[in-house]
Amino acid sequence: MAEEGTVWKCLRDFSEEVRELHGTDGVSSLEKPPSPLQFHREWLCPNRPCIIQNALNHWPALQKWTFYYLRKCVGSKPVSVAVTPNGYADAVYDNKFVMPEERTMNFSDFLDILEKRTTPPGVFYIQKQCSNLTEEFPELIGDVESHIPWMSEALGKRPDAVNFWLGESAAITSLHKDHYENLYCVISGEKHFILHPPSDRPFIPYETYQPATYKVNEDGTFEVKDQESTDKVPWISVDPLEPDLSLYPAYRETQPLHVTVKAGEMLYLPSLWFHHVRQSHGCIAVNYWYDMEYDIKYHYFQLLDSLTKRVGNS
């Protein structure tokens, strides 16, 4: 127990020192896109987020992507839509890791829901990743960039995926992290991020859960169907909007960053940063996922993760 107490103190001191010296106590805003070298030196290598202004001004999407335009371009084409009863897809519910019902529906019908022309049960969100912009919405690619040139030059590679996001205000992305360097670009509306640096890992609780999916019945009710043949899923159990500090007391050690990304702005979200996302109704966004380098920063995080598990705050 004494050894665990010493390790826990070291983890707390480490997180506090990173916050003080590494600049993870706020998110800077740049007036224009950086050069590849500047971005590499000041943001990518230090693993620090920033908001970039005036990076999307030349995109036709900023002026063109109204619901009318999207309906005209994509029309009644079938697309993938996530449907949940509560807006939480890929999140812990009733002590299970529950994924949305993945429904294929006509894009025009989806827009009818956003515009309240129809009101079926559930919360609807186009959130399928795996480069859904290029795979499901090729009609829109010409209105944005296929990659971000200065980012691609800084990393020496093109993005692994370019994703399109559109949904209801009730759709929420639960707290998680990704192994990607993420450029998140808001076309219309706003996205609201809660961010934690990787150094907050000791205070962010993971547990393992039975995987399941939502299923919508004919009467409009939802049920949760277990995926019996798959392994349990490690996921973050705390809700940063209403953290239960009696259940997760270590979370009070964190100082989450609250960031709003407005239309025309780009957020650089570094790899391994924990993030929780909300949005205004009908917010349209595109993000670029560049695979992270599995360098010494990744291995340091793995060490931090192992030490956290050792003291019992998995």
Side-chain angles (χ1 to χ4, degrees), residues 10-34:
C10 289
L11 293 174
R12 291 177 62 186
D13 291 347
F14 163 77
S15 180
E16 183 63 29
E17 186 172 280
V18 169
R19 188 178 297 120
E20 292 177 356
L21 300 181
H22 191 58
T24 59
D25 57 348
V27 177
S28 298
S29 181
L30 311 183
E31 291 186 0
K32 62 180 181 178

mmCIF file of all heavy atoms in Angstrom, residues 10-34:
data_model
loop_
_atom_site.group_PDB
_atom_site.id
_atom_site.type_symbol
_atom_site.label_atom_id
_atom_site.label_comp_id
_atom_site.label_asym_id
_atom_site.label_seq_id
_atom_site.Cartn_x
_atom_site.Cartn_y
_atom_site.Cartn_z
ATOM 1 N N CYS A 10 3.523 10.322 -7.297
ATOM 2 C CA CYS A 10 4.344 10.622 -8.476
ATOM 3 C C CYS A 10 3.468 10.937 -9.684
ATOM 4 O O CYS A 10 3.775 11.850 -10.463
ATOM 5 C CB CYS A 10 5.273 9.452 -8.794
ATOM 6 S SG CYS A 10 6.616 9.235 -7.617
ATOM 7 N N LEU A 11 2.387 10.193 -9.854
ATOM 8 C CA LEU A 11 1.482 10.439 -10.974
ATOM 9 C C LEU A 11 0.805 11.799 -10.851
ATOM 10 O O LEU A 11 0.666 12.526 -11.837
ATOM 11 C CB LEU A 11 0.425 9.329 -11.047
ATOM 12 C CG LEU A 11 0.940 7.937 -11.419
ATOM 13 C CD1 LEU A 11 -0.185 6.906 -11.308
ATOM 14 C CD2 LEU A 11 1.516 7.931 -12.821
ATOM 15 N N ARG A 12 0.401 12.165 -9.641
ATOM 16 C CA ARG A 12 -0.218 13.472 -9.432
ATOM 17 C C ARG A 12 0.781 14.590 -9.700
ATOM 18 O O ARG A 12 0.455 15.591 -10.343
ATOM 19 C CB ARG A 12 -0.757 13.571 -8.006
ATOM 20 C CG ARG A 12 -1.943 12.673 -7.723
ATOM 21 C CD ARG A 12 -2.378 12.776 -6.276
ATOM 22 N NE ARG A 12 -2.811 14.119 -5.937
ATOM 23 C CZ ARG A 12 -3.137 14.504 -4.698
ATOM 24 N NH1 ARG A 12 -3.083 13.624 -3.705
ATOM 25 N NH2 ARG A 12 -3.532 15.738 -4.461
ATOM 26 N N ASP A 13 1.995 14.426 -9.200
ATOM 27 C CA ASP A 13 3.022 15.439 -9.409
ATOM 28 C C ASP A 13 3.357 15.569 -10.894
ATOM 29 O O ASP A 13 3.568 16.683 -11.399
ATOM 30 C CB ASP A 13 4.280 15.093 -8.619
ATOM 31 C CG ASP A 13 4.081 15.216 -7.110
ATOM 32 O OD1 ASP A 13 3.061 15.809 -6.684
ATOM 33 O OD2 ASP A 13 4.932 14.695 -6.366
ATOM 34 N N PHE A 14 3.401 14.426 -11.577
ATOM 35 C CA PHE A 14 3.702 14.426 -13.010
ATOM 36 C C PHE A 14 2.647 15.217 -13.778
ATOM 37 O O PHE A 14 2.973 16.088 -14.601
ATOM 38 C CB PHE A 14 3.761 12.984 -13.516
ATOM 39 C CG PHE A 14 3.661 12.857 -15.001
ATOM 40 C CD1 PHE A 14 4.740 13.141 -15.821
ATOM 41 C CD2 PHE A 14 2.471 12.442 -15.603
ATOM 42 C CE1 PHE A 14 4.647 13.025 -17.199
ATOM 43 C CE2 PHE A 14 2.364 12.328 -16.973
ATOM 44 C CZ PHE A 14 3.464 12.625 -17.773
ATOM 45 N N SER A 15 1.380 14.955 -13.503
ATOM 46 C CA SER A 15 0.307 15.639 -14.212
ATOM 47 C C SER A 15 0.341 17.136 -13.948
ATOM 48 O O SER A 15 0.164 17.955 -14.863
ATOM 49 C CB SER A 15 -1.047 15.055 -13.796
ATOM 50 O OG SER A 15 -2.097 15.710 -14.461
ATOM 51 N N GLU A 16 0.584 17.533 -12.699
ATOM 52 C CA GLU A 16 0.642 18.942 -12.353
ATOM 53 C C GLU A 16 1.823 19.634 -13.031
ATOM 54 O O GLU A 16 1.706 20.764 -13.531
ATOM 55 C CB GLU A 16 0.754 19.100 -10.833
ATOM 56 C CG GLU A 16 0.751 20.533 -10.343
ATOM 57 C CD GLU A 16 -0.541 21.267 -10.655
ATOM 58 O OE1 GLU A 16 -1.604 20.606 -10.727
ATOM 59 O OE2 GLU A 16 -0.486 22.502 -10.816
ATOM 60 N N GLU A 17 2.947 18.957 -13.092
ATOM 61 C CA GLU A 17 4.125 19.544 -13.725
ATOM 62 C C GLU A 17 3.913 19.727 -15.225
ATOM 63 O O GLU A 17 4.291 20.751 -15.799
ATOM 64 C CB GLU A 17 5.353 18.669 -13.462
ATOM 65 C CG GLU A 17 6.647 19.275 -13.960
ATOM 66 C CD GLU A 17 7.857 18.479 -13.525
ATOM 67 O OE1 GLU A 17 8.292 18.641 -12.363
ATOM 68 O OE2 GLU A 17 8.341 17.677 -14.340
ATOM 69 N N VAL A 18 3.282 18.745 -15.850
ATOM 70 C CA VAL A 18 2.985 18.867 -17.276
ATOM 71 C C VAL A 18 2.062 20.056 -17.512
ATOM 72 O O VAL A 18 2.266 20.845 -18.448
ATOM 73 C CB VAL A 18 2.348 17.569 -17.817
ATOM 74 C CG1 VAL A 18 1.794 17.784 -19.217
ATOM 75 C CG2 VAL A 18 3.363 16.449 -17.825
ATOM 76 N N ARG A 19 1.058 20.213 -16.662
ATOM 77 C CA ARG A 19 0.103 21.308 -16.816
ATOM 78 C C ARG A 19 0.821 22.666 -16.704
ATOM 79 O O ARG A 19 0.527 23.613 -17.432
ATOM 80 C CB ARG A 19 -0.997 21.184 -15.772
ATOM 81 C CG ARG A 19 -2.137 22.157 -15.948
ATOM 82 C CD ARG A 19 -3.219 21.945 -14.908
ATOM 83 N NE ARG A 19 -3.826 20.638 -15.028
ATOM 84 C CZ ARG A 19 -3.828 19.710 -14.087
ATOM 85 N NH1 ARG A 19 -3.234 19.948 -12.926
ATOM 86 N NH2 ARG A 19 -4.407 18.546 -14.276
ATOM 87 N N GLU A 20 1.776 22.753 -15.783
ATOM 88 C CA GLU A 20 2.453 24.029 -15.546
ATOM 89 C C GLU A 20 3.494 24.349 -16.610
ATOM 90 O O GLU A 20 3.631 25.503 -17.027
ATOM 91 C CB GLU A 20 3.118 24.002 -14.165
ATOM 92 C CG GLU A 20 2.137 23.988 -12.998
ATOM 93 C CD GLU A 20 2.839 23.893 -11.661
ATOM 94 O OE1 GLU A 20 4.086 23.759 -11.653
ATOM 95 O OE2 GLU A 20 2.153 23.951 -10.628
ATOM 96 N N LEU A 21 4.241 23.346 -17.054
ATOM 97 C CA LEU A 21 5.383 23.593 -17.924
ATOM 98 C C LEU A 21 5.116 23.345 -19.397
ATOM 99 O O LEU A 21 5.811 23.887 -20.257
ATOM 100 C CB LEU A 21 6.576 22.721 -17.480
ATOM 101 C CG LEU A 21 7.076 22.939 -16.055
ATOM 102 C CD1 LEU A 21 8.263 22.019 -15.776
ATOM 103 C CD2 LEU A 21 7.467 24.395 -15.837
ATOM 104 N N HIS A 22 4.104 22.531 -19.688
ATOM 105 C CA HIS A 22 3.900 22.101 -21.065
ATOM 106 C C HIS A 22 2.793 22.876 -21.778
ATOM 107 O O HIS A 22 2.554 22.705 -22.955
ATOM 108 C CB HIS A 22 3.578 20.596 -21.075
ATOM 109 C CG HIS A 22 3.590 19.971 -22.430
ATOM 110 N ND1 HIS A 22 4.689 20.001 -23.255
ATOM 111 C CD2 HIS A 22 2.627 19.302 -23.107
ATOM 112 C CE1 HIS A 22 4.415 19.372 -24.382
ATOM 113 N NE2 HIS A 22 3.172 18.945 -24.321
ATOM 114 N N GLY A 23 2.120 23.735 -21.048
ATOM 115 C CA GLY A 23 1.095 24.550 -21.681
ATOM 116 C C GLY A 23 -0.189 23.827 -21.982
ATOM 117 O O GLY A 23 -0.847 24.097 -22.992
ATOM 118 N N THR A 24 -0.593 22.894 -21.104
ATOM 119 C CA THR A 24 -1.845 22.171 -21.314
ATOM 120 C C THR A 24 -2.980 22.761 -20.479
ATOM 121 O O THR A 24 -3.980 22.099 -20.232
ATOM 122 C CB THR A 24 -1.682 20.675 -20.969
ATOM 123 O OG1 THR A 24 -1.270 20.555 -19.599
ATOM 124 C CG2 THR A 24 -0.654 20.021 -21.869
ATOM 125 N N ASP A 25 -2.796 24.014 -20.040
ATOM 126 C CA ASP A 25 -3.839 24.663 -19.243
ATOM 127 C C ASP A 25 -4.697 25.596 -20.080
ATOM 128 O O ASP A 25 -5.500 26.366 -19.554
ATOM 129 C CB ASP A 25 -3.214 25.428 -18.076
ATOM 130 C CG ASP A 25 -2.200 26.468 -18.541
ATOM 131 O OD1 ASP A 25 -1.825 26.440 -19.739
ATOM 132 O OD2 ASP A 25 -1.782 27.294 -17.718
ATOM 133 N N GLY A 26 -4.561 25.548 -21.389
ATOM 134 C CA GLY A 26 -5.359 26.375 -22.276
ATOM 135 C C GLY A 26 -5.133 25.978 -23.718
ATOM 136 O O GLY A 26 -4.235 25.185 -24.028
ATOM 137 N N VAL A 27 -5.954 26.521 -24.613
ATOM 138 C CA VAL A 27 -5.849 26.231 -26.044
ATOM 139 C C VAL A 27 -5.629 27.552 -26.782
ATOM 140 O O VAL A 27 -6.488 28.439 -26.731
ATOM 141 C CB VAL A 27 -7.102 25.515 -26.577
ATOM 142 C CG1 VAL A 27 -7.001 25.290 -28.080
ATOM 143 C CG2 VAL A 27 -7.305 24.181 -25.851
ATOM 144 N N SER A 28 -4.497 27.678 -27.435
ATOM 145 C CA SER A 28 -4.167 28.905 -28.158
ATOM 146 C C SER A 28 -4.936 28.977 -29.469
ATOM 147 O O SER A 28 -5.378 27.964 -30.013
ATOM 148 C CB SER A 28 -2.661 28.948 -28.442
ATOM 149 O OG SER A 28 -1.921 28.964 -27.245
ATOM 150 N N SER A 29 -5.062 30.193 -29.985
ATOM 151 C CA SER A 29 -5.728 30.425 -31.267
ATOM 152 C C SER A 29 -4.752 31.106 -32.214
ATOM 153 O O SER A 29 -4.147 32.127 -31.859
ATOM 154 C CB SER A 29 -6.978 31.291 -31.071
ATOM 155 O OG SER A 29 -7.645 31.514 -32.287
ATOM 156 N N LEU A 30 -4.588 30.550 -33.409
ATOM 157 C CA LEU A 30 -3.705 31.108 -34.426
ATOM 158 C C LEU A 30 -4.549 31.897 -35.433
ATOM 159 O O LEU A 30 -5.613 31.443 -35.843
ATOM 160 C CB LEU A 30 -2.939 30.002 -35.144
ATOM 161 C CG LEU A 30 -2.228 28.951 -34.272
ATOM 162 C CD1 LEU A 30 -1.463 27.975 -35.147
ATOM 163 C CD2 LEU A 30 -1.305 29.612 -33.270
ATOM 164 N N GLU A 31 -4.045 33.032 -35.861
ATOM 165 C CA GLU A 31 -4.811 33.866 -36.788
ATOM 166 C C GLU A 31 -4.812 33.321 -38.209
ATOM 167 O O GLU A 31 -5.685 33.670 -39.006
ATOM 168 C CB GLU A 31 -4.254 35.298 -36.789
ATOM 169 C CG GLU A 31 -4.499 36.043 -35.486
ATOM 170 C CD GLU A 31 -4.062 37.489 -35.565
ATOM 171 O OE1 GLU A 31 -3.568 37.907 -36.646
ATOM 172 O OE2 GLU A 31 -4.209 38.201 -34.563
ATOM 173 N N LYS A 32 -3.843 32.474 -38.531
ATOM 174 C CA LYS A 32 -3.757 31.915 -39.872
ATOM 175 C C LYS A 32 -3.073 30.557 -39.781
ATOM 176 O O LYS A 32 -2.421 30.247 -38.773
ATOM 177 C CB LYS A 32 -2.996 32.838 -40.807
ATOM 178 C CG LYS A 32 -1.548 33.076 -40.393
ATOM 179 C CD LYS A 32 -0.849 34.006 -41.371
ATOM 180 C CE LYS A 32 0.606 34.211 -40.965
ATOM 181 N NZ LYS A 32 1.328 35.085 -41.933
ATOM 182 N N PRO A 33 -3.181 29.736 -40.812
ATOM 183 C CA PRO A 33 -2.527 28.428 -40.781
ATOM 184 C C PRO A 33 -1.021 28.575 -40.639
ATOM 185 O O PRO A 33 -0.416 29.478 -41.230
ATOM 186 C CB PRO A 33 -2.902 27.813 -42.134
ATOM 187 C CG PRO A 33 -4.132 28.520 -42.551
ATOM 188 C CD PRO A 33 -4.003 29.917 -42.023
ATOM 189 N N PRO A 34 -0.385 27.710 -39.877
ATOM 190 C CA PRO A 34 1.064 27.782 -39.702
ATOM 191 C C PRO A 34 1.790 27.187 -40.907
ATOM 192 O O PRO A 34 1.190 26.473 -41.723
ATOM 193 C CB PRO A 34 1.297 26.937 -38.457
ATOM 194 C CG PRO A 34 0.209 25.907 -38.522
ATOM 195 C CD PRO A 34 -0.993 26.608 -39.107
#
